[in-house]
Amino acid sequence: MAAFDKVKVIVVGDSGVGKSSLTYLICHHQPINNPSWTVGCSVEVKLHEYKEGTPDQKTYFIELWDIGGSSSHRNTRSVFYNPTHGIILVHDLTNRKSQQNLQKWLAEVINKDGSSKSRVSSFDDFDPEQFVGSTQIPILVIGTKSDLSEEVRTHSHRRSSTIAEECGADEIFLDCRQVRSLAAGSSSAVKLSRFFDKVIERRYHCRDGISPFSDKRRTLASLNPKFYHSD
Ligand SMILES: Nc1nc2c(ncn2[C@@H]2O[C@H](COP(=O)(O)OP(=O)(O)OP(=O)(O)O)[C@@H](O)[C@H]2O)c(=O)[nH]1
Ligand SMILES: [Mg+2]
């Protein structure tokens, strides 16, 4: 089998928001039956056509690292975060807290990327806008359980979540249990494909060639030293 270049995208969010359901739908084009809690991390792979339909089209492997959201694993899951080429932040549209917690998830990912030397001193101090500006790791925000959300069902548009606005990230609302949620040509499928293109672009086609994770803490610290303290 041909060897394809690959990128690693991590999928994070609170336990039960639907990360495994979403990951399965993306990779298998069908819903998963009765997902069980993810212990540690589960990796699914999909092939993606970068810049499909253009002369630059090329096939890549996308690894989706579906991270178990249980808070009891908070101290051990850092091993899964390095390297990270793209981040999918998942929240449950029927659970506002899960959306608010995405800021903590983002902070956790940059905080625990394999180094115990540098820490964000407080999640409240964490500024997603600054994070995005300094690391340029592409982010996609996904709101699940749109079928159960009154707000989504009764309005054709729902306001983007704060974190998506702060990160300048695209956001998708969907029902992970329906194949049609990511039907080819749908706006959600287009956003997802555009996100994967961005991740590949950043990883393989960026002129400066900087690894997103190797450089981000230094950049963040130089931007705002208050984020960091030494142990
Ligand atoms: N109605 C509805 N149910 C969903 C949707 N997405 C996920 N679920 C259900 O929500 C429950 C939790 O989904 P999971 O995919 O296991 O959640 P998770 O985020 O992987 O949870 P952890 O592995 O514990 O971190 C399951 O019963 C799913 O069937 C959705 O879009 N709509
Ligand atoms: Mg899971």
Side-chain angles (χ1 to χ4, degrees):
M1 192 170 157
F4 298 118
D5 287 330
K6 65 176 187 181
V7 289
K8 176 182 163 190
V9 172
I10 60 165
V11 183
V12 288
D14 288 358
S15 181
V17 294
K19 299 177 298 296
S20 299
S21 309
L22 172 73
T23 305
Y24 195 90
L25 181 67
I26 292 173
C27 296
H28 299 271
H29 308 290
Q30 59 185 36
I32 189 172
N33 285 325
N34 302 321
S36 50
W37 287 334
T38 306
V39 176
C41 164
S42 155
V43 182
E44 298 271 3
V45 179
K46 83 174 250 101
L47 288 173
H48 172 72
E49 291 301 322
Y50 172 69
K51 291 198 173 173
E52 192 165 18
T54 73
D56 297 331
Q57 180 168 341
K58 191 179 165 196
T59 308
Y60 285 86
F61 269 129
I62 309 276
E63 281 180 4
L64 288 172
W65 288 51
D66 165 22
I67 312 287
S70 164
S71 52
S72 58
H73 300 140
R74 191 178 296 139
N75 296 330
T76 50
R77 59 190 172 225
S78 59
V79 290
F80 304 127
Y81 296 154
N82 197 4
T84 293
H85 303 128
I87 303 171
I88 298 182
L89 298 172
V90 187
H91 65 100
D92 170 348
L93 289 162
T94 66
N95 175 356
R96 198 166 284 275
K97 186 79 183 151
S98 73
Q99 187 197 107
Q100 292 160 359
N101 283 343
L102 290 182
Q103 184 150 334
K104 293 185 184 176
W105 279 101
L106 199 48
E108 180 182 302
V109 173
I110 66 149
N111 190 18
K112 297 183 174 175
D113 63 340
S115 163
S116 60
K117 291 246 163 63
S118 306
R119 297 237 168 92
V120 174
S121 53
S122 154
F123 287 138
D124 297 332
D125 285 345
F126 177 68
D127 179 355
E129 222 169 312
Q130 197 164 35
F131 165 72
V132 172
S134 58
T135 70
Q136 297 181 5
I137 296 178
I139 295 172
L140 179 68
V141 181
I142 297 191
T144 60
K145 310 191 187 181
S146 59
D147 53 311
L148 301 178
S149 163
E150 193 65 26
E151 204 179 343
V152 170
R153 280 193 287 120
T154 51
H155 301 89
S156 53
H157 292 293
R158 185 184 191 272
R159 248 172 56 79
S160 321
S161 58
T162 319
I163 189 110
E165 283 173 2
E166 286 176 349
C167 295
D170 263 343
E171 182 158 30
I172 297 172
F173 303 133
L174 51 67
D175 175 358
C176 301
R177 301 188 308 175
Q178 297 290 336
V179 183
R180 65 168 183 269
S181 298
L182 287 176
S186 64
S187 72
S188 299
V190 169
K191 280 182 187 173
L192 185 65
S193 176
R194 199 162 58 195
F195 167 70
F196 289 145
D197 272 8
K198 228 190 270 183
V199 175
I200 293 164
E201 180 92 32
R202 177 72 195 145
R203 171 72 180 85
Y204 288 104
H205 302 275
C206 203
R207 267 199 216 122
D208 61 15
I210 293 170
S211 149
F213 254 146
S214 60
D215 208 49
K216 73 177 183 297
R217 275 171 286 117
R218 185 167 55 75
T219 322
L220 255 183
S222 65
L223 282 172
N224 189 347
K226 85 173 173 162
F227 283 155
Y228 293 88
H229 67 80
S230 301
D231 287 333

